[in-house]
């Protein structure tokens, strides 16, 4: 028996993060809050039902907008990115210049929407890049703080951990076991959205965990998205070295 067309329950689950519109032939068009870098064009993802699952794609718009902005879709950098994407993600960049993923389980749809949108941002940024950007030490500073606090408190600590939820989303750090603190370093609007998806899935699955998102600054993730994230995580904060360490220490109370 084929998988049924997306139902109202699934719509309800993803509507809190995305604006969903029903198109023809059962296609769901999802307007995300993410934009292509350097433009006001929002990323739109489509979910197309079939007998054996769902295809999630951005209709080739990432390549189209990148080309309009003078980008080179056939550059070596894009080729390397595409190869790495296919090896590390459920998402692929097809020969038709479309970013696509396939889900045979409805629970994968919401995270895959998000993975396609993330890849769309990456493709646009790489194709239109003019110069190497200076990397931030933001994630390394978080790493050092988390490591020091966990070691001092003699608590279990892991980094770059794939979480036990649908979609293969990862935590930057996890501290504790019975009710772990799951730390997401929000280096982009997309990564902050991942924190929100993680929080929603943990809540829906009734899994123990405290989702803490930390952004380098509001400019990196966007003011509106930062303000909204407070409602879709246990806590979202702007990084401050002293305050962040104290926050983790306070939240660790009672963690085993």
């Amino acid at each position: 028996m084929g998988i049924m067309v997306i139902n109202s329950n699934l719509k309800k689950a993803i509507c809190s993060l995305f604006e969903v519109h029903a198109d023809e032939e059962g296609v769901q068009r999802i307007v995300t809050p993410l934009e292509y870098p350097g433009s006001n064009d929002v990323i739109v993802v489509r979910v197309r039902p079939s007998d054996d699952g769902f295809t999630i794609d951005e209709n080739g718009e990432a390549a189209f907008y990148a080309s309009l902005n003078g980008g080179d879709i056939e550059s070596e950098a894009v080729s390397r990115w595409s190869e790495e994407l296919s090896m590390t993600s459920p998402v692929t960049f097809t020969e038709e210049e479309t970013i696509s993923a396939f889900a045979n389980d409805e629970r994968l749809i919401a995270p895959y929407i998000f993975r396609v949108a993330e890849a769309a941002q990456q493709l646009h940024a790489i194709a239109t890049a003019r110069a190497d950007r200076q990397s931030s030490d933001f994630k390394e500073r978080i790493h050092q703080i988390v490591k020091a606090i966990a070691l001092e408190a003699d608590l279990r600590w892991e980094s770059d951990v794939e979480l036990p939820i649908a979609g293969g989303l990862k935590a930057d750090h996890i501290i504790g076991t019975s009710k772990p603190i799951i730390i997401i370093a929000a280096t982009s609007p997309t990564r902050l959205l991942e924190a929100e998806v993680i929080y929603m899935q943990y809540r829906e699955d009734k899994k123990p965990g405290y989702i803490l998102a930390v952004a380098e600054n509001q400019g990196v993730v966007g003011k509106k998205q930062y303000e909204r994230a407070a409602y879709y995580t246990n806590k979202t904060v702007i990084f401050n070295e002293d305050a962040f360490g104290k926050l983790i220490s306070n939240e660790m109370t009672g963690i085993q």
Side-chain angles (χ1 to χ4, degrees):
M1 181 177 178
I3 297 177
M4 295 178 65
V5 172
I6 299 176
N7 57 35
S8 59
N9 289 334
L10 179 60
K11 249 187 166 179
K12 184 178 179 181
I14 63 179
C15 269
S16 57
L17 289 178
F18 307 109
E19 182 183 320
V20 183
H21 302 274
D23 287 347
E24 296 179 355
E25 299 179 358
V27 175
Q28 300 292 320
R29 177 168 44 89
I30 295 89
V31 180
T32 77
L34 300 177
E35 296 180 349
Y36 291 104
S39 78
N40 293 319
D41 297 311
V42 296
I43 297 175
V44 178
V45 177
R46 288 165 177 80
V47 178
R48 310 176 194 272
S50 63
D51 289 339
D52 54 351
F54 303 89
T55 298
I56 300 100
D57 66 75
E58 42 65 75
N59 206 39
E61 291 175 359
F64 175 72
Y65 285 125
S67 297
L68 282 182
N69 291 321
D72 183 2
I73 301 300
E74 299 180 357
S75 70
E76 290 185 12
V78 169
S79 295
R80 289 194 300 270
W81 166 81
S82 177
E83 290 175 6
E84 183 177 348
L85 184 72
S86 63
M87 291 187 292
T88 61
S89 168
V91 177
T92 58
F93 184 47
T94 70
E95 293 182 359
E96 291 75 29
E97 297 185 345
T98 298
I99 296 169
S100 176
F102 180 79
N104 56 11
D105 185 332
E106 286 190 354
R107 292 173 297 179
L108 293 172
I109 294 175
Y112 281 11
I113 287 170
F114 180 54
R115 299 291 287 274
V116 167
E118 178 182 37
Q121 277 194 325
Q122 292 172 353
L123 172 61
H124 188 283
I126 292 168
T128 58
R130 293 292 184 270
D132 293 334
R133 297 177 182 175
Q134 208 170 26
S135 61
S136 168
D137 64 350
F138 166 59
K139 292 185 70 173
E140 178 59 27
R141 291 159 69 194
I142 288 178
H143 177 94
Q144 294 302 328
I145 292 170
V146 171
K147 178 180 178 180
I149 291 175
L151 291 175
E152 183 178 349
D154 195 26
L155 286 172
R156 181 178 175 182
W157 161 66
E158 297 179 273
S159 293
D160 194 29
V161 182
E162 184 169 328
L163 298 169
I165 55 177
L169 298 178
K170 289 186 176 184
D172 289 281
H173 306 283
I174 295 180
I175 302 177
T177 55
S178 59
K179 186 180 179 181
I181 297 177
I182 298 167
I183 299 170
I184 308 299
T187 53
S188 67
T190 304
R191 186 59 172 147
L192 187 55
L193 265 178
E194 283 190 5
E196 297 175 37
V197 172
I198 290 166
Y199 172 78
M200 291 179 65
Q201 289 200 22
Y202 263 73
R203 187 175 62 177
E204 183 177 347
D205 296 344
K206 296 181 171 59
K207 293 183 182 295
Y210 184 93
I211 314 304
L212 171 60
V214 52
E216 187 170 12
N217 57 63
Q218 281 193 22
V220 168
V221 297
K223 184 176 184 293
K224 288 183 179 179
Q225 191 161 318
Y226 174 78
E227 292 173 348
R228 189 192 64 194
Y231 298 96
Y232 293 103
T233 60
N234 292 105
K235 189 178 286 292
T236 297
V237 298
I238 297 298
F239 181 68
N240 174 285
E241 200 153 338
D242 293 333
F244 184 64
K246 291 175 183 177
L247 172 63
I248 294 178
S249 297
N250 291 338
E251 298 298 344
M252 286 196 310
T253 304
I255 290 178
Q256 302 297 323

